[in-house]
Every structure is written in C-alpha cells, then in structure tokens.
Amino acid sequence: MKTKIMRSFVLILATSTVVACNSAYKTDTASDTKASGSSIQEARPSSSAVLPAISAYPATRTVDQVDNYHGVSVSDPYRWLEAQNEPEVKEWVDAQNALAKPLLSELPSHERYTERLTALWDYEKYTTPFMVNSKVFYTYNNGLQDQYVMYVSSEENREGNFEVLIDPNHLSDDGTVSMASTEVSPKAGYLAYMLSDGGSDWSTIHVRDVNTKQDTNDFLSGVKFTNIAWLPDETGFYYSRYPKDENGEYDDSKTVSIYFHQLGTEQREDKLVFKFDDKPTWNPYPAVIQDGETLLISVFEGYESNGVYAKSLTKQGPLLPIFDKWDGLYELIGEEDNKLLFSSTQNAPTGKVIQVTLNDSPDSNKAVIDISTIIESSDATLRKASLLDGKLFVQYLKDVKANVVVFDTKGNKLKELAFSDVGNVSGFNGSKNASSTFYKLTGFTNPGQVFKYDLDSGTSSVFKTIDTGINYDNYVTKQVFYTSKDGTKVPMFIVHKKGIKLDGSNKTLLYGYGGFNVSLLPSYSISRMVWVEQGNVLAIANIRGGGEYGEKWHQAGTKLNKQNVFDDFISGANFLIEKGYTSSDKLAVQGGSNGGLLVGAVITQRPDLFAAALPAVGVLDMLRYHTPSANARGWSSDYGLSEDKEQFEALYAYSPLHNTRPGTCYPATLITTGDHDDRVVPWHSYKFAAQLQASQGCDNPILLKVETRAGHGAGTPTWMRIQGYAEQWAFLEAALQ
C-alpha cells in the first residue's frame, strides 16, 4: 500500500466508529438568520435539578508563578500541576477521580446508557479493505472486541477464506495495547505494524511474515507518527525516529531523523540516512521512489505548507529540492514512469493535482525538469487522490458532501461515481497495479455498506453489508446554513428522531472541532446514535479552521483569526435556540483536543449560553501549549506562539485557562483526559479544572475525570469507550433538566 509522505499530526477527530449513509437527507437554508456572539441571553437555573452540588472540591494549592509576556505579567498559579509524574500531582489526580467517578456512576441514567451502548456496540464492523499484490487486507471487529483484528486473504482465493493476520486483543489483559498503524510491503510478503501501549503516541515497530503469520525478530522503538517506506525488494524499510538524550531516553523535544532498517538486524545497526543539522524545527519523513533508487523526503513543520526533497540511494550526491518554497501543501499520490503525481494547495486553496517530471541524468544537480497541473482546482475541495491501475481516483467535498471523480493520468475525466445517498465516501486504497479497490459509504444514521470496485470494468458490487438491527427510517438528517457574527455562512448537520417538536424543549448536543484543516463529515457513531435514540438532538457544526471549503476556510480560523472559530460555534448555538430545537438550559457542547479548546473557549466567553460542557483531552493553556514537545510546537501554524507579541495578544484573549472569571456561573462541566496522553499532555486539563473549580460561582459541578491506561483517544479499548460515553451521556441527561 502506498505510503503517504505528507505527515498529519492532527490532534484528534474525536469521532467513534465510522461507517455509512443517512436515510433521510434534506438541506435547509437560513441565510437571513440573525446569529451573533452576543445575542440570546436566555436565563437558566444556576444548578441542575439532578446533578448534585459539590460541597468541596479537592484542595489545590497555588504558587506565586508570574511570567512576563511582552510586558504583560501573567499569573500561572497552577504551574506545579505540569509536573504530572510527581507524587503530589498524582495524589491530586486521585482525589479528583475519587470525586468524579462515584458521582458519575451513580447518576440516574448511567446504568441505562451503559446497557444500551453495550447492546448497540455489539455488531460486526469492517474497515475498508485494500489490495496489495493480489492479496486483500482489512480489519474487523466482531462487536465488543476491544481492538480490531487484521485479516488477509490467500493469493489463490482472495474473495474468501480470510485468515487472521494479527489480533491485538491478545497483546494485553485489559485491551489497551493497540495497533497504531500498519504498512504492507510492496509484494505483500510482510506487514510492518506499530503498537501503542495504553494510548501513548510512543510506538514500537514490529514485522510479521504475511505467509507464516509469525513475527520476525525485528523490533524498533523511539518512534511516533512515522510512516514506513519499504524497499521494493522487501529487504528493509526507512523510518523516522527521535534522538536519545544524555540519559539514553528518546527525546521528542527534538526533531526526527531518517534511518534505514534491514530486516533481521538489531535496531542499533540501523543506518542514519538523513537529518537536518541546521533546521531545529524540520521533521523529515521518507518515501521510496524510482524502483528503490531515490528517497523522497517530505518535511513537516506545520499545517500550512511543507517541503519535498530527493536524495539518491545509489550514489553520492546533494539533497535536491523538488518543492522548497514552502508555498503550499504537497502530498505524494503515486509514480508513473519518471513522473510523480502530487496533490497541492499551491495557488489552489481547494487543491489540485500536479505532475512532476524528474531529471533522469545521473550527473545532474537539478531534480525537476518540469511541473505541470493535470487536474485544475475547482469549487469542490480535493480531499484525497489515489493512483490505481493507471487511473486517478479523486475524492472531493462540496458543501460537506462527498463525491468521487475518476481521471486518467493526463487529467481527462473518465467517470463520476454516483451514490444513492449523500454522505461521506472513503477508501480507494491499494497498490497501483491492483485489479480491484474498495470503498465505503458513511453517514450519521446508517452503518451502510462496503463496496468492491473492479478497476477493469469500472463497476461496483457489495462486499459487506453492515447490520446493527436499528430501523433508521425513524431518523432524519438535515443540513442547514446559518450566519456567523461576521456574516459568513456556516453549514451544520442536525440529526434527530422524526416528529420532534421545535418548542425549545429538546436536549441538544452541539459538537465541533474547527482546526488543522480537519473536516467533520457525515459518519456513523454508535455513541451518538444512542444519544439520538433517546429522543435527543445532535448538531455537528462545520466551522472555520476546518477543511470543509479548502485552505481559505482553514486559514480563516487560525492564528489572529482564531476567534472566528468560536464565533461560528456560538452562532450555531444561537441558531439552534432561535429555530426552536433547544434552549440554553437544554444545550450542551462537546469537543476533543483542538475541539476541547473550542469548548473551553466558548464556555468562558458565553457561559450563559450553555447548560453543560464536555471538553476532552483539550488544548487549554494557549500560552504554554508548545512547550512539551516538538510535535506540540508544530501546532503553531494554526495557533501562533506566545513568543510573538501580536500572536500572544490573540492567544491571551481566548485561552480558556486565562479567561475564567471568579464568581461566574459556568455550565456543568465534565473535563476528561488520559494520563498516557503525550500528544495534548494532561496538565492542560488539570490546570483548567483547578482554575474552573476555583472560579465557579454557582452549584453547577466542575468535574475532572482522568482515565488511566489511556491517551489521546486512538486505540482506546471498547470497554473503556462504553464506560466513558455512558458517563458523559448520563452527565448530560442530569444537567439538561
């Protein structure tokens, strides 16, 4: 399977299991809706009718820590909570859990939600298969398995007799060891797979022989996020790893370097292939092209642009630039003859496909002969392109609805794939010489089907039908467009049972993300289905900062424009109230990671507008978010840095930690994080919880629940997911009275 060289350290999508298309879809337009950040001052009770008042929160000491930012003195009284491995901090976390866990488990609807989540979670789930060298691979969950199992077909009978290739459920007693990523070798002889323990981003690389279903002795550590770039002959692969510090520990405050690992050797024998000595913020990641003769190096420094370079693997020579102007994002699609195909946002905010002709002269110091555009940008956003059997499968997004167009490699349109329902489409993966590919339709209220696409005939057939036993005809999905504070039209999906009354009485959950070019697409979520099944409303706002309308939409929600994200979300809440879906005492907000920042920002800016909040693994201290790791510093392309005066002023104005006000009545808030989260470190949630508890001016509870053996969300076992969602939904049921 083709390795992508454009790194994507997106914080989290925070969606559950993703599968297929909704049964009832319609579009509403509300272009004249008045929705501003200061409208709708609904009165609501200062305490919940069901949630108990907290008589006393765990004692949290303060320190006299004051930092000077460009002449502004900023107090940081909970700085000591950043030392998360210190005994005092662990004792404080234990005290917070001792408060939160019993309260959550004893809520009136907790048992009901646990039972219903368990029942609905128990159905067969399939990821989209892909083909490599005539073998088909996919992952499968029989219902309540903690981790998905990877299967492979035999070469002789790829349509049946799928066999277990690897089952992570046997790797730990509590189900918390997961496969972070996989990469099949070019001839499908080996599977390189990365294991994460307890949700950590730190992973170990292992290799399994696809034919014998046994691991080799290869074992590599010191990696996060890296891709695996196999040599065509499968004798080894390139990967990126962190350096060691003076204590011999891998140090993710530094950038990665590229190494080559030869199968059957110890990691200490791995050869350093490339590193940047003079670029302390550039992270290089490998891909192998030209039948193993050239290493293609993509350089990650943020989410706005990247660089791409070439280095010969067969002769000595300099690093040759392919794209070094940092004027857009470039992602390798595939290779045809001596030409490379990339998707690009250079002068094309919605994306285009370009062709790069490489110089085949062995003595040349110039890598590129010609660059030409073969598929022009359009009003639809290019999400992904795949090269299969000499055809380009380009996945587009238009008004947050997906379609797929097939082109030849000259850019001529061959066909457009038509779908009976509107929703998300994913897949079209595999090696470029595969005879078949697979795709999946997704939506909010139907787990849908997986299809096989014959590349010769261009026809589709059902590969797997997913059945949950729910009658989705009882539900409706709408797409609406509302007006944000500055007049921008923002799309939002609303999902609910048919026949609800728009009288403001519906318990409603508004979810958002708004960052890092991430698009929130129609997708099936078991946990959300349980919420809606109970007669509640779900709203998904496609706010700025995401990728729904390309790079301009993304940039409109970054750095000095970040307030647009919060204005969009607040305006979405106002729309739901004005249209009678809900009222402020029935409205909750949810978001994870960058979405946790979103929730923290809107409840500190408009605490009167919401009755409950669920910020998960959030980025909440915007002045110090970049300090834990090189990866965190890379988020500065979206956030900016407090080291810059103008960016500091913008960050300080919305940073949730720094914008709580003593005596304010904040919504009932359940803050969640994992003690193994080394992406958004848990001290963000610790400090925000301490500050919010100290500032709370009414009886609405502020709870912090810290999950042990969990990280940023990926790889969380099924039992832990069910437990977490049961607590969150029961918390909302109690708060939205």
Side-chain angles (χ1 to χ4, degrees), residues 577-634:
I577 294 170
E578 291 169 354
K579 292 299 180 181
Y581 285 97
T582 192
S583 56
S584 61
D585 60 346
K586 300 284 186 180
L587 179 59
V589 282
Q590 182 191 33
S593 195
N594 176 73
L597 161 62
L598 171 68
V599 171
V602 298
I603 66 171
T604 51
Q605 291 183 19
R606 287 295 308 277
D608 61 295
L609 191 56
F610 312 103
L614 299 174
V617 292
V619 188
L620 298 158
D621 180 347
M622 300 311 297
L623 302 187
R624 289 178 54 77
Y625 76 84
H626 59 288
T627 59
S629 67
N631 178 41
R633 191 176 182 88

Side-chain angles (χ1 to χ4, degrees), residues 373-553:
T373 299
I374 60 172
I375 301 176
E376 298 283 354
S377 61
S378 68
D379 59 348
T381 300
L382 193 160
R383 295 176 51 219
K384 176 189 172 185
S386 308
L387 179 62
L388 299 161
D389 190 35
K391 304 177 186 69
L392 283 164
F393 288 76
V394 183
Q395 299 179 38
Y396 287 105
L397 195 64
K398 190 169 185 178
D399 284 336
V400 208
K401 300 183 288 287
N403 74 306
V404 178
V405 182
V406 185
F407 299 87
D408 64 21
T409 54
K410 297 183 184 301
N412 299 308
K413 182 177 178 179
L414 301 178
K415 68 182 299 183
E416 185 168 344
L417 273 65
F419 305 109
S420 58
D421 286 316
V422 179
N424 184 28
V425 182
S426 61
F428 301 101
N429 298 316
S431 53
K432 70 176 185 178
N433 59 351
S435 60
S436 300
T437 188
F438 299 82
Y439 63 91
K440 184 194 296 183
L441 303 180
T442 66
F444 288 112
T445 56
N446 189 333
Q449 303 85 30
V450 178
F451 293 88
K452 176 185 174 183
Y453 183 90
D454 186 273
L455 290 164
D456 231 5
S457 65
T459 58
S460 298
S461 57
V462 175
F463 178 74
K464 296 289 182 184
T465 298
I466 300 168
D467 181 17
T468 66
I470 298 175
N471 182 3
Y472 295 101
D473 291 337
N474 295 329
Y475 301 88
V476 62
T477 297
K478 302 175 183 177
Q479 187 184 41
V480 300
F481 292 83
Y482 63 87
T483 305
S484 190
K485 184 177 181 179
D486 64 356
T488 300
K489 298 296 186 296
V490 180
M492 178 165 62
F493 291 104
I494 303 175
V495 187
H496 56 77
K497 276 187 174 180
K498 289 181 178 178
I500 67 167
K501 294 180 180 180
L502 299 184
D503 58 2
S505 66
N506 303 296
K507 296 176 183 177
T508 298
L509 178 62
L510 174 61
Y511 177 85
Y513 187 79
F516 298 92
N517 206 30
V518 171
S519 302
L520 297 185
L521 306 179
S523 61
Y524 187 75
S525 163
I526 308 165
S527 61
R528 290 173 178 168
M529 194 65 238
V530 172
W531 172 256
V532 173
E533 183 195 49
Q534 301 301 307
N536 303 318
V537 174
L538 170 69
I540 310 288
N542 299 107
I543 55 184
R544 282 174 284 185
E548 287 86 349
Y549 292 100
E551 189 58 21
K552 286 184 178 178
W553 192 255

